[in-house]
Amino acid sequence: MATNAQVANANAHLTTPTRLTGAEIIWATLVGEGVDTVFGYPGGTILPAYDALRKFPVRHVLVRHEQGAAHMADGYARASGKVGVAIATSGPGSTNLVTGIATAMLDSIPIVCITANVSSKLLGSDAFQEVDITGITLPVTKHNFLVNRAEDIAPTIRHAFQIARSNRPGPVLVDITKDAEINSALFDFEAAKPRPVRPHPMLRVEQEDLDKAAELIRQSKRPIIFAGHGVTESGAMEQVRALAERTQIPVALTLLGLGGFPASHPLNLGMMGMHGEAWVNHAIQEADLLIACGMRFDDRVTGTLAQYAQKAKKIHIEIDPAEINKNVKVDVALVGDLREVLEELLPRISGRDGSVWLKTIEASKGAVAVRDIKNLPDSGHLYAAHVIHDLWRITEGNAVVVTDVGQHQMWEAQYYHHEKPRTLITSGGLGTMGFALPAAIGAKMACPEQEVWVVVGDGGFQMTAAELSTIAQEKLKINIAIINNGYLGMVRQWQEFFYERNYEATPLVSPDFVKLADAHGIEGRAVRTRAEVAEAVEAARAAKGAYLINFLVEKEESVYPMIPVGAALHEMIRRPEKDPLEESADDE
Ligand SMILES: Cc1cc2nc3c(=O)[nH]c(=O)nc-3n(C[C@H](O)[C@H](O)[C@H](O)COP(=O)(O)OP(=O)(O)OC[C@H]3O[C@@H](n4cnc5c(N)ncnc54)[C@H](O)[C@@H]3O)c2cc1C
Ligand SMILES: Cc1ncc(C[n+]2csc(CCOP(=O)(O)OP(=O)(O)O)c2C)c(N)n1
Ligand SMILES: [Mg+2]
C-alpha cells in the first residue's frame, strides 16, 4: 500500500516543477500517467530507479523472470484496458522481455517497457550487460526510444504512453542510460505533455463509403458480422450489438473477439476459423456479405485465401490502414475507430428480415452439431471439455479466464462461453506458451475483485511455473487449472494427423504439480474423473488463497474441427464417428 508521504511527494512533483534525478523522474512520470503497479526485476543499471522507488506510490511486483514481467503488464492491460508497465535491467534483463513484447505486439496490446542501459559514454563498447535493446526490439515494438539525458525522460515516457494507447495499441520500449538516471533535471509534468496525435491521413471515413456499406447491407441475403479484438479495444460492444439486432445479422467471432458479443445472444454463432464451429465456417463460405469489425483476417481465421468466402462482398472496419486489403481484398474499407464508424453507419441502416438466412444456418447445425458434453454418458474418462464445461457452468461464465497456448486454449474457446469483454485473456497472434500464469497475475492485479482462472497445459505451465513464487509472495487469489494430457498436445495432434503418429519430442514428463504448488504454500489437488471436477472447482473457489488443480485428462484427445494448413475453410477434419466424445445435436 502506498503511504501518505509517497502520495504527497508524487502529487507535489506533479503540480510544482521540481529538480529531480532521472531515476525519480521515471517514477514521477509514471505516477502522472496513472500508473500504480509495475512488474519488474532489478539489476545493476536499473538500480538508481529501484533506489528512488521508495519515494513514490507505486506497487512493484517482483517477477521471477523478465518474460513474466512483460506478460504481466500485458495481462494487466488486457484485463483493464489501461497501459501495463514492465521494468528490466540492461542486457539479459531486457532481452528476457522480448517474447513478452512480441506477444503484445501481435495482439495490439498497450504496454510500456522501461529498461536501463549502460552509461551513454559506454554505449557501443560491449560494456558489461550492454545490448542494443532498441535495435533488438525494433520489429516487435510499435515504437521504441533510447534516452541518454535526464531532461528527456519525462517527455519520452509520456510520448511512449500516448503511442502505446492511441489508434491501434501496441508495446513501446523506453531504454534509459544509467547516467540519465543519475543526472538531474527540472521535472515539469505538464510541459512534458506530448503533442496531440495527428490523425493518420487515411483515417477518414468517406460519406460515400458509408452509403455504399449501408447499401451492401440492405441488399445482402446471407450476411455475417465478424466481431474481432477491435470490438473490445474500441469499446464498440453496444454498437456491434445494435447493428446485429437492427439488421438481424448473425455474428461470428475471432478467438480474440470472444466476449465482445455475448455468447448467449441468439445472434451469436460462435468462433470462426481453424478450430471454429463447423457451421460458422460453412456459413462464411456461403455468405454474400462479410462485415468485418476490428479483425485482421489472420490465417488461422481464413484458411487458404484462394478459396476464402468467394461469394461474399466484404466491408472492413479497421483502424490500421495497413490491414486493409492485406490478406483479403475488400469492397468497402471504413478506416477509423470501430465505435465511431459504427455510430456514423447505424443511422443509415434500417431493419431487415434475416429469418431465412438464420434458419439456414440453424439447420446446418443439425448436421454438423453442437458438442454437447452434458448429455454424454460418463465413460470413466476425463476430457478437457468436461473440465471447461463445468468451470463455465460453476462460474456462470463470469470469471476472467487466462489461457495458455495449445489444445486446452482451443477447448476453452469452444466450451467456456464468454458473455463480457476482457474475460478471455489469451495469446492469439504469437501463440506464446508460458503466457497464462504471468498474464493472470497481471489480470488479477488489475482487477482484484474478479475471479481469475488460469487454464494451462502441462507443457506451457512448465515454461513459466517459477511465477508461482510471485503469486505466493503477492498473496494473490488465482485459481489454476492444469489440463494435463502428458503431451505437448497440440503438436502431438499435428503429428497424429500429418506425421503418421510419429510422436517425436511431444510426450512430456512433469513434476507432481500438486506437490509443486505445496512447495509454494499453495493448496491443490489432482482430479482423475469427471465426477470429481465440480467439487474441485468449488474447492478452489472456496479456498482463501491461490489453488491449483491438476486435471489428468485423456492423453490422445484431439481438437475438432480442424482446418489443415493450406485447406479451405470448409475442408475441416471432423471427429471420427466412433470417437467417445461424439458431437451431437440432441440438445438443440
Ligand atoms: C493454437 C492457436 C489456434 C488458433 N485458432 C484460431 C481459430 O480457430 N480461430 C480464430 O479466430 N483465431 C484462432 N487463433 C488466433 C489467431 O491466430 C489470431 O490471433 C486471431 O484470429 C486474431 O483475432 P483478431 O483479428 O480479432 O484480433 P487482432 O489480431 O488483435 O486484430 C485486431 C484488429 O482490430 C484492429 N483494431 C484495434 N483497435 C481498433 C479500433 N479501435 N477500431 C477498429 N479496429 C481496431 C487492429 O488494427 C487489428 O487489425 C489461434 C491461435 C492459436 C495460438
Ligand atoms: C514458446 C512456444 N514454443 C513452442 C510452441 C509450439 N507449440 C504450440 S502448442 C504446443 C504444445 C502445448 O502443450 P501443452 O502446454 O501441454 O498444451 P496442450 O496442447 O497439451 O493443451 C507447442 C509446443 C509455442 N506455441 N510456444
Ligand atoms: Mg499438454
Side-chain angles (χ1 to χ4, degrees):
M1 275 296 279
T3 63
N4 290 343
Q6 288 171 328
V7 173
N9 177 54
N11 285 344
H13 296 331
L14 288 171
T15 45
T16 320
T18 328
R19 204 161 178 83
L20 298 177
T21 65
E24 290 166 333
I25 292 175
I26 294 174
W27 298 114
T29 314
L30 290 176
V31 173
E33 288 292 336
V35 174
D36 56 17
T37 307
V38 300
F39 306 93
Y41 206 87
T45 53
I46 193 94
L47 256 183
Y50 274 86
D51 187 50
L53 176 56
R54 68 197 139 94
K55 299 178 198 157
F56 294 88
V58 175
R59 179 167 176 185
H60 178 272
V61 176
L62 178 67
V63 305
R64 296 302 182 269
H65 185 293
E66 291 85 350
Q67 178 185 351
H71 291 326
M72 286 177 210
D74 176 322
Y76 182 95
R78 292 188 205 231
S80 64
K82 296 196 280 186
V83 179
V85 179
I87 314 267
T89 196
S90 62
S94 59
T95 54
N96 273 351
L97 290 174
V98 173
T99 300
I101 296 174
T103 304
M105 182 70 179
L106 270 278
D107 290 346
S108 304
I109 305 300
I111 63 171
V112 168
C113 296
I114 296 188
T115 52
N117 213 326
V118 298
S119 277
S120 49
K121 65 177 185 306
L122 294 175
L123 282 175
S125 72
D126 294 334
F128 177 64
Q129 295 194 328
E130 181 197 0
V131 290
D132 173 11
I133 195 63
T134 44
I136 289 170
T137 58
L138 188 65
V140 291
T141 46
K142 187 172 169 190
H143 201 78
N144 67 26
F145 299 90
L146 173 61
V147 181
N148 57 12
R149 299 186 328 161
E151 55 267 44
D152 294 337
I153 292 176
T156 308
I157 292 180
R158 292 207 69 179
H159 195 188
F161 271 78
Q162 184 191 53
I163 294 171
R165 55 163 88 99
S166 61
N167 292 333
R168 180 179 187 165
V172 182
L173 180 133
V174 182
D175 194 28
I176 303 172
T177 59
K178 191 167 182 179
D179 51 329
E181 287 179 84
I182 293 167
N183 293 338
S184 43
L186 186 71
F187 173 67
D188 184 342
F189 186 71
E190 213 26 59
K193 189 175 171 179
R195 269 181 288 163
V197 186
R198 264 192 295 153
H200 191 285
M202 277 184 70
L203 273 183
R204 204 179 54 226
V205 177
E206 305 290 350
Q207 299 300 314
E208 192 187 317
D209 289 333
L210 287 164
D211 291 337
K212 247 195 258 174
E215 184 56 22
L216 283 180
I217 293 173
R218 203 185 57 76
Q219 285 172 3
S220 65
K221 301 256 177 311
R222 299 184 310 279
I224 306 180
I225 294 169
F226 283 1
H229 191 196
V231 175
T232 307
E233 295 211 307
S234 153
M237 287 73 70
E238 283 312 313
Q239 290 71 14
V240 169
R241 193 177 170 141
L243 177 67
E245 288 178 354
R246 190 173 306 170
T247 56
Q248 289 300 297
I249 299 179
V251 181
L253 294 95
T254 65
L255 175 69
L256 296 185
L258 294 176
F261 188 75
S264 60
H265 194 287
L267 289 168
N268 188 319
L269 294 180
M271 188 169 81
M272 63 180 95
M274 179 177 269
H275 294 293
E277 307 293 356
W279 62 82
V280 179
N281 291 339
H282 283 302
I284 292 169
Q285 296 297 66
E286 286 307 312
D288 66 357
L289 178 66
L290 304 180
I291 309 159
C293 297
M295 55 82 69
R296 60 181 175 87
F297 293 106
D298 183 86
D299 55 71
R300 282 327 188 232
V301 157
T302 59
T304 182
L305 287 169
Q307 293 177 62
Y308 180 67
Q310 300 283 291
K311 301 173 189 164
K313 294 250 194 279
K314 284 126 195 152
I315 300 170
H316 197 180
I317 313 176
E318 164 63 57
I319 203 162
D320 184 354
E323 290 296 338
I324 305 293
N325 294 324
K326 186 178 88 177
N327 297 332
V328 170
K329 295 265 168 297
V330 299
D331 299 274
V332 179
L334 300 172
V335 185
D337 173 66
L338 179 64
R339 189 168 54 166
E340 289 172 17
V341 173
L342 286 179
E343 272 177 356
E344 284 201 63
L345 184 62
L346 278 166
R348 292 171 161 81
I349 307 279
S350 43
R352 53 185 284 292
D353 177 11
S355 59
V356 176
W357 174 228
L358 289 174
K359 273 193 201 123
T360 313
I361 298 177
E362 200 55 34
S364 77
K365 286 187 185 173
V368 289
V370 172
R371 293 166 299 271
D372 191 1
I373 306 306
K374 61 184 176 297
N375 289 344
L376 293 171
D378 187 348
S379 61
H381 294 249
L382 180 63
Y383 289 95
H386 295 148
V387 175
I388 308 290
H389 176 77
D390 280 356
L391 183 60
W392 165 72
R393 190 175 51 77
I394 293 166
T395 58
E396 297 172 356
N398 283 323
V400 172
V401 186
V402 188
T403 62
D404 213 71
V405 170
Q407 292 184 311
H408 63 279
Q409 179 188 27
M410 295 297 108
W411 284 315
E412 195 282 344
Q414 294 177 339
Y415 296 101
Y416 198 101
H417 309 296
H418 292 272
E419 296 295 326
K420 294 192 214 122
R422 305 193 184 282
T423 60
L424 169 58
I425 293 177
T426 197
S427 162
L430 198 67
T432 308
M433 284 173 70
F435 172 80
L437 195 65
I441 294 174
K444 187 70 188 178
M445 297 292 300
C447 306
E449 303 308 320
Q450 292 266 24
E451 177 174 352
V452 174
W453 279 85
V454 174
V455 172
V456 60
D458 41 341
F461 182 71
Q462 291 183 69
M463 282 205 169
T464 49
E467 301 302 344
L468 281 177
S469 306
T470 310
I471 292 179
Q473 184 164 350
E474 296 294 328
K475 300 187 176 53
L476 296 174
K477 168 65 187 149
I478 292 175
N479 298 317
I480 302 162
I482 301 181
I483 308 297
N484 185 349
N485 52 10
Y487 277 105
L488 298 173
M490 186 55 95
V491 180
R492 184 210 60 75
Q493 174 168 344
W494 283 51
Q495 290 171 328
E496 178 186 334
F497 290 2
F498 313 120
Y499 294 88
E500 297 162 341
R501 290 180 194 263
N502 177 20
Y503 293 164
E504 189 67 47
T506 43
L508 193 64
V509 172
S510 297
D512 181 330
F513 291 124
V514 176
K515 279 194 186 151
L516 187 67
D518 186 47
H520 291 82
I522 292 173
E523 272 188 271
R525 66 166 82 176
V527 167
R528 291 179 178 77
T529 65
R530 187 177 176 183
E532 300 164 83
V533 175
E535 200 198 308
V537 170
E538 299 283 17
R541 299 184 85 203
K544 264 192 83 186
Y547 199 96
L548 180 148
I549 311 173
N550 183 17
F551 290 105
L552 294 141
V553 299
E554 191 72 9
K555 294 183 81 160
E556 295 193 31
E557 166 65 348
S558 290
V559 182
Y560 296 99
M562 177 180 189
I563 305 167
V565 171
L569 206 58
H570 56 280
E571 294 170 342
M572 287 164 276
I573 302 175
R574 310 307 312 280
R575 182 178 292 283
E577 292 246 316
K578 56 181 180 348
D579 226 43
L581 235 194
E582 265 174 295
E583 297 169 346
S584 97
D586 291 352
D587 202 39
E588 277 291 287

